[in-house]
Amino acid sequence: GESVGLHLPTLSVQEGDNSIINCAYSNSASDYFIWYKQESGKGPQFIIDIRSNMDKRQGQRVTVLLNKTVKHLSLQIAATQPGDSAVYFCAERKTSGSRLTFGEGTQLTVNP
Amino acid sequence: DAGVTQSPTHLIKTRGQQVTLRCSPKSGHDTVSWYQQALGQGPQFIFQYYEEEERQRGNFPDRFSGHQFPNYSSELNVNALLLGDSALYLCASSLGPGQVGSPLHFGNGTRLTVT
């Protein structure tokens, strides 16, 4: 079935480096995408979202890029900090409904 | 501004028992969705409630049921618990059932262990 998935299960970076977390989706009917951060023992925390009529959206230290041609979504985190260590999920949602389909997540570890 | 709150935070039940989980949505939100998250996996959609009715449902058996109250709070009920029901149950709220641009806000979940 159609689903949203992530390329890498783990990513390790040095503090201060930029991080890039990737996500591939297969549902062409999805036109809204969201990145969530989940720390141990907590629920997913909204980071940033993007609609399919956009290619890029920036937030505070984060940027989401959407490439609809290859159905690829990425999250860039600038100047990664130890507090960024968490599991990151991308999720997609269709306009006809509001359920989110999540990928399996990428565990980001920031080394001091 | 209170976010999404869930209770209890942890729960241990025996196979065959029934459980009720509770959720209060973020202030100003009127739609509640429930997700099940197995260890090491992404959350899976169970169902969504809006205007006190179930609006959408994921691929979960009828043992999973819910309710939404006039104050928008919600309950998730699971009957005849199985070992495989052990998971983190997440409640998420939003403004409206299908508004793109209204991201879901999640609570910290209820950790259910079935023995």
Side-chain angles (χ1 to χ4, degrees):
Chain A
E2 294 177 321
S3 65
V4 180
L6 297 172
H7 291 309
L8 294 174
T10 62
L11 177 64
S12 183
V13 299
Q14 291 298 121
E15 182 178 358
D17 287 352
N18 296 332
S19 301
I20 300 176
I21 301 173
N22 296 305
C23 177
Y25 67 94
S26 59
N27 191 339
S28 58
S30 298
D31 69 351
Y32 180 57
F33 304 89
I34 310 170
W35 280 100
Y36 284 92
K37 170 187 179 183
Q38 187 172 23
E39 297 175 279
S40 180
K42 296 186 177 180
Q45 176 187 358
F46 171 80
I47 301 173
I48 191 167
D49 57 2
I50 187 168
R51 301 190 187 198
S52 62
N53 60 355
M54 302 173 67
D55 297 323
K56 178 180 179 179
R57 191 172 187 207
Q58 289 183 296
Q60 186 178 9
R61 283 200 308 117
V62 295
T63 300
V64 55
L65 299 177
L66 177 63
N67 185 331
K68 296 179 288 295
T69 302
V70 294
K71 297 181 182 176
H72 184 268
L73 189 71
S74 68
L75 176 71
Q76 299 178 359
I77 305 174
T80 313
Q81 304 168 359
D84 295 326
S85 293
V87 177
Y88 288 80
F89 292 98
C90 67
E92 57 92 0
R93 189 167 82 178
K94 301 176 186 178
T95 54
S96 60
S98 62
R99 70 175 67 182
L100 292 179
T101 300
F102 284 82
E104 293 184 353
T106 293
Q107 172 71 59
L108 174 66
T109 301
V110 182
N111 301 308
Chain B
D1 181 17
V4 179
T5 58
Q6 293 185 243
S7 64
T9 55
H10 295 82
L11 202 53
I12 300 175
K13 290 287 189 177
T14 303
R15 277 180 300 176
Q17 287 188 316
Q18 179 265 344
V19 68
T20 297
L21 311 181
R22 295 176 174 82
C23 171
S24 292
K26 178 180 171 66
S27 178
H29 285 180
D30 57 7
T31 303
V32 173
S33 301
W34 287 91
Y35 288 77
Q36 180 195 66
Q37 186 176 27
L39 199 62
Q41 302 293 318
Q44 298 291 316
F45 176 77
I46 303 176
F47 43 53
Q48 178 196 72
Y49 278 84
Y50 173 68
E51 292 184 335
E52 302 179 49
E53 292 185 4
E54 183 182 294
R55 298 290 178 165
Q56 293 187 64
R57 189 178 183 92
N59 188 26
F60 280 80
D62 292 343
R63 297 187 297 108
F64 289 76
S65 63
H67 188 78
Q68 186 180 35
F69 299 93
N71 66 353
Y72 309 121
S73 67
S74 176
E75 289 182 349
L76 164 65
N77 301 291
V78 187
N79 295 322
L81 285 166
L82 303 173
L83 294 179
D85 295 332
S86 295
L88 180 67
Y89 288 85
L90 295 163
C91 173
S93 70
S94 61
L95 180 61
Q99 293 189 25
V100 172
S102 176
L104 295 188
H105 290 258
F106 285 85
N108 286 329
T110 294
R111 172 69 64 187
L112 173 64
T113 302
V114 183
T115 63

